């Protein structure tokens, strides 16, 4: 059997982190089996669906690298096909018109709840001859006896009695099809073999299987993955922090790090934490997904992102970092090689934003020294060392870390002091007190002219402080 999976988001907002994980699982399953991954936009909710949301979904998937083999297909382009199926079901006596008023349905629901019964449509219009000329919906005639049984790849065998299911609406009064009808027809027409989706849809599955059987077709294989929870145990939402995929991009996370984190939410392979994409494709199987919900842990995501920052190609990190430096009004072309800065700093950062913030001093002078560091290192006793090292640095004709190292040590030898007496005041003078890599590399990256300027500022600070 040819494996065909799909991701079918509704364009009513951004690409949610939960939706992204579902898409990832479907994508991995298709790639593992050499199948096809289809993107379908379920935009039958005409009031809430927007082009902006469609673009946000496409942008999020593109950033994550979840390429699709077919699509995007839009349900609003398939209304004729849905109507064709509705009319066929009507002609075969498998669907009927219903003109129950909103008031009647609300009263029915209230009475059922008062009697502690499960609220559902009572089939009032099932045997009535409702005119096509009056306002009505069309309902699917659900079997009243027997049960629906299906084997879910995550949850195992699921069984639901048909008497627990009511006659759901498949066509609204305005003529538009409902989700449960359109999704069945789309999965059928697109030859979807495996429906991998969130378990919030599992109550719809028996209804959809009954519609398929009424049409004379077998159901696909289902896999309902559990939802993602916040750390407080509630369903992940905006109150827990960012839930949009693009928000994580803007927060300085790498797409491969987010993918790695999402695949580990509810799935594992031994104790391994970091996976290449090829490893994910090779090892992942939806049958190994946990039944229990997973909790989103921001600290774990940051840890994974840090591992990728450390190991990814520095040139690529530099390219991504330039965007975040730009948001700090820094032009990285007016300073040291950004790749060299990445290599020097990336061990200290968990996100690209953090990497940009701790690297600012390489590209522009700081306004003030760190008060604690300056109080300790920029004292009158450091004046001579700073002046001597400034002279030594200015005399370097070939500006290399090696020559800088030699010059600083020569000053310490000349003054007959330990390296710390020269190196520590110099570090604070040129960085402002910001955490930084080795002194030789730090001075090299900051540059000869900037170091001279900043040492002058430090000397001025010491002089003003002494007055």
């Amino acid at each position: 059997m040819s494996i065909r999976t799909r991701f079918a988001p509704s364009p009513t907002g951004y690409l949610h982190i939960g939706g992204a994980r579902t898409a990832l699982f479907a994508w991995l399953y298709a790639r593992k089996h050499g199948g096809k991954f289809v993107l379908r936009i379920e935009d039958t909710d005409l009031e809430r669906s927007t082009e902006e949301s469609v673009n946000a979904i496409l942008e999020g998937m593109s950033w994550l690298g979840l390429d699709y083999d077919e699509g995007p297909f839009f349900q609003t382009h398939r209304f004729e096909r849905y109507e064709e199926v509705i009319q066929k079901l009507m002609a075969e006596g498998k669907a009927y018109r219903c003109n129950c008023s909103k008031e009647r349905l609300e009263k029915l629901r209230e009475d059922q709840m008062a009697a502690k019964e499960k609220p559902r449509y009572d089939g009032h219009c099932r045997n009535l001859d409702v005119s096509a000329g009056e306002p009505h919906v069309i309902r699917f005639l659900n079997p009243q006896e027997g049960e629906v049984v299906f084997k879910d790849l995550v949850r195992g065998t699921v069984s639901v009695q048909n008497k627990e299911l009511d006659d759901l609406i498949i066509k609204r009064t305005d003529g538009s099809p409902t989700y449960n009808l359109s999704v069945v027809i789309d999965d059928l027409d697109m030859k979807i073999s495996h429906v991998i989706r969130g378990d919030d849809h599992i109550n719809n599955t028996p209804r959809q299987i009954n519609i398929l059987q009424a049409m004379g077709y077998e159901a696909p294989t289902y896999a309902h993955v559990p939802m993602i929870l916040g750390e407080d145990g509630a369903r992940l939402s905006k109150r827990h922090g960012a839930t949009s995929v693009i928000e994580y991009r803007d927060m300085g996370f790498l797409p491969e790090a987010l993918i790695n984190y999402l695949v580990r939410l509810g799935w594992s392979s031994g104790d391994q934490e970091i996976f290449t994409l090829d490893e994910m494709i090779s090892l992942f199987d939806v049958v190994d997904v946990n039944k229990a919900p997973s909790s989103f842990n921001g600290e774990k995501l940051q840890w994974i992102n840090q591992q990728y920052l450390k190991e990814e190609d520095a040139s690529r990190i530099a390219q991504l970092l330039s965007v975040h430096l730009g948001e700090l009004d820094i032009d990285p072309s007016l300073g040291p090689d950004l790749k060299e800065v990445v290599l020097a700093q990336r061990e200290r950062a968990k996100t690209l934003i953090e990497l940009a913030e701790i690297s600012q001093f390489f590209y522009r002078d700081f306004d003030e020294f760190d008060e604690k560091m300056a109080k300790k290192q920029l004292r009158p006793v450091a004046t001579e060392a700073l002046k001597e090292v400034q002279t030594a640095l200015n005399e370097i004709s070939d500006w290399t870390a090696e020559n800088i190292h030699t010059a600083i040590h020569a000053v310490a030898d000349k003054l007959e002091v330990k390296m710390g007496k020269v190196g520590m005041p110099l570090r604070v003078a040129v960085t402002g007190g910001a955490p930084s890599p080795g002194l030789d590399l730090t001075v090299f990256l900051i540059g000869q002219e900037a170091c001279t300027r900043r040492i002058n500022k430090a000397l001025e600070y010491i002089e003003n402080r002494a007055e």
Side-chain angles (χ1 to χ4, degrees):
M1 177 180 66
S2 176
I3 300 297
R4 291 173 61 84
T5 66
R6 49 74 159 178
F7 177 49
S10 298
T12 56
Y14 50 78
L15 177 57
H16 189 277
I17 209 78
R21 186 188 64 157
T22 300
L24 172 62
F25 285 175
W27 185 88
L28 287 172
Y29 195 79
R31 294 291 174 261
K32 180 184 181 70
H33 295 282
K36 300 293 185 182
F37 177 62
V38 179
L39 176 61
R40 184 171 75 228
I41 305 297
E42 298 190 339
D43 57 346
T44 55
D45 188 338
L46 303 179
E47 291 185 2
R48 299 177 62 217
S49 298
T50 66
E51 184 176 351
E52 181 181 9
S53 294
V54 172
N55 292 335
I57 291 168
L58 297 179
E59 183 182 12
M61 292 191 67
S62 175
W63 180 68
L64 288 172
L66 298 180
D67 56 319
Y68 39 92
D69 302 296
E70 298 176 19
F73 299 109
F74 292 83
Q75 288 186 329
T76 48
H77 298 171
R78 291 172 46 78
F79 276 17
E80 288 186 8
R81 168 62 173 150
Y82 305 143
E83 182 62 22
E84 173 190 328
V85 172
I86 290 169
Q87 293 306 318
K88 188 171 188 295
L89 290 172
M90 288 282 290
E92 294 174 353
K94 298 173 182 177
Y96 61 91
R97 300 186 190 93
C98 169
N99 63 357
C100 287
S101 65
K102 181 179 178 180
E103 291 73 21
R104 180 187 182 278
L105 295 177
E106 287 178 351
K107 178 67 165 53
L108 174 64
R109 178 182 176 82
E110 289 173 2
D111 291 346
Q112 289 172 332
M113 292 185 70
K116 297 184 179 181
E117 298 175 357
K118 179 181 177 181
R120 56 181 176 267
Y121 183 64
D122 61 357
H124 175 75
C125 294
R126 191 176 289 159
N127 299 311
L128 299 182
D129 186 15
V130 176
S131 170
E134 62 180 302
H136 66 275
V137 298
I138 293 181
R139 293 182 180 271
F140 172 68
L141 184 64
N142 194 78
Q144 295 174 272
E145 298 179 353
E147 62 181 352
V148 180
V149 181
F150 65 96
K151 184 176 180 181
D152 189 279
L153 294 182
V154 175
R155 300 171 68 98
T157 300
V158 178
S159 175
V160 178
Q161 297 294 318
N162 276 319
K163 64 182 180 181
E164 296 295 319
L165 307 174
D166 58 2
D167 297 347
L168 77 161
I169 297 172
I170 58 175
K171 182 178 178 179
R172 302 182 184 91
T173 306
D174 63 6
S176 63
T178 59
Y179 164 78
N180 278 301
L181 176 83
S182 54
V183 71
V184 164
I185 299 171
D186 289 343
D187 286 342
L188 175 65
D189 290 354
M190 296 172 191
K191 298 180 171 58
I192 302 302
S193 65
H194 291 72
V195 173
I196 300 172
R197 60 187 179 187
D199 63 3
D200 53 329
H201 287 287
I202 198 163
N203 290 334
N204 292 322
T205 302
R207 305 170 184 276
Q208 294 170 9
I209 290 175
N210 278 338
I211 294 175
L212 271 169
Q213 290 179 344
M215 294 171 63
Y217 296 98
E218 292 296 317
T221 299
Y222 292 96
H224 291 89
V225 300
M227 67 179 68
I228 301 175
L229 306 178
E231 293 187 55
D232 61 355
R235 185 168 184 172
L236 189 67
S237 65
K238 284 187 176 181
R239 68 186 180 86
H240 296 106
T243 55
S244 160
V245 165
I246 294 303
E247 280 184 278
Y248 283 94
R249 178 197 67 185
D250 296 342
M251 289 162 59
F253 289 89
L254 301 176
E256 51 267 53
L258 186 56
I259 285 285
N260 195 139
Y261 180 72
L262 290 177
V263 80
R264 287 285 288 106
L265 273 180
W267 174 84
S268 62
S269 180
D271 295 328
Q272 186 171 345
E273 292 287 356
I274 305 299
F275 297 85
T276 66
L277 201 56
D278 286 342
E279 286 176 326
M280 291 183 207
I281 293 170
S282 172
L283 296 171
F284 177 82
D285 196 325
V286 73
V287 300
D288 297 325
V289 173
N290 294 335
K291 295 179 183 179
S294 299
S295 295
F296 194 91
N297 186 319
E299 290 184 3
K300 182 66 174 291
L301 173 58
Q302 287 190 341
W303 179 84
I304 289 176
N305 199 62
Q306 187 173 40
Q307 308 315 303
Y308 277 91
L309 282 176
K310 291 178 182 179
E311 301 298 331
E312 280 290 310
D313 179 69
S315 297
R316 177 169 176 267
I317 300 299
Q319 185 178 19
L320 297 172
L321 180 62
S322 66
V323 175
H324 294 282
L325 285 172
E327 291 178 355
L328 296 173
D329 294 324
I330 292 174
D331 182 350
S333 68
L334 302 178
D337 185 333
L338 193 51
K339 178 181 176 181
E340 296 301 320
V341 172
V342 168
L343 290 171
Q345 291 282 78
R346 61 181 177 180
E347 294 276 342
R348 295 178 171 81
K350 295 179 180 178
T351 67
L352 289 167
I353 284 182
E354 188 178 347
L355 185 56
E357 289 174 345
I358 66 172
S359 301
Q360 292 184 67
F361 70 87
F362 286 115
Y363 294 94
R364 66 181 172 202
D365 292 350
F366 40 85
D367 295 328
E368 296 178 353
F369 294 101
D370 177 89
E371 185 177 351
K372 184 178 179 180
M373 295 295 291
K375 185 176 181 180
K376 183 177 181 180
Q377 300 297 338
L378 300 184
R379 299 180 295 156
V381 70
T383 299
E384 184 179 13
L386 286 174
K387 286 182 177 179
E388 287 289 344
V389 81
Q390 182 183 54
T391 300
L393 293 176
N394 283 337
E395 291 175 351
I396 297 176
S397 58
D398 184 12
W399 189 256
T400 66
E402 293 78 9
N403 289 339
I404 291 167
H405 177 86
T406 300
I408 296 172
H409 276 264
V411 170
D413 291 342
K414 178 181 178 181
L415 298 179
E416 297 181 345
V417 297
K418 292 182 178 180
M419 256 300 295
K421 297 295 184 181
V422 178
M424 289 307 296
L426 176 59
R427 184 183 291 276
V428 175
V430 298
T431 68
S436 52
L439 182 58
D440 306 335
L441 179 58
T442 297
V443 171
F444 167 73
L445 291 173
I446 290 173
Q448 199 167 25
E449 182 181 336
C451 282
T452 297
R453 186 171 62 248
R454 295 180 186 184
I455 292 172
N456 282 333
K457 180 175 181 175
L459 290 168
E460 183 180 345
Y461 174 89
I462 294 172
E463 183 179 348
N464 292 336
R465 185 179 167 192
E467 292 177 355

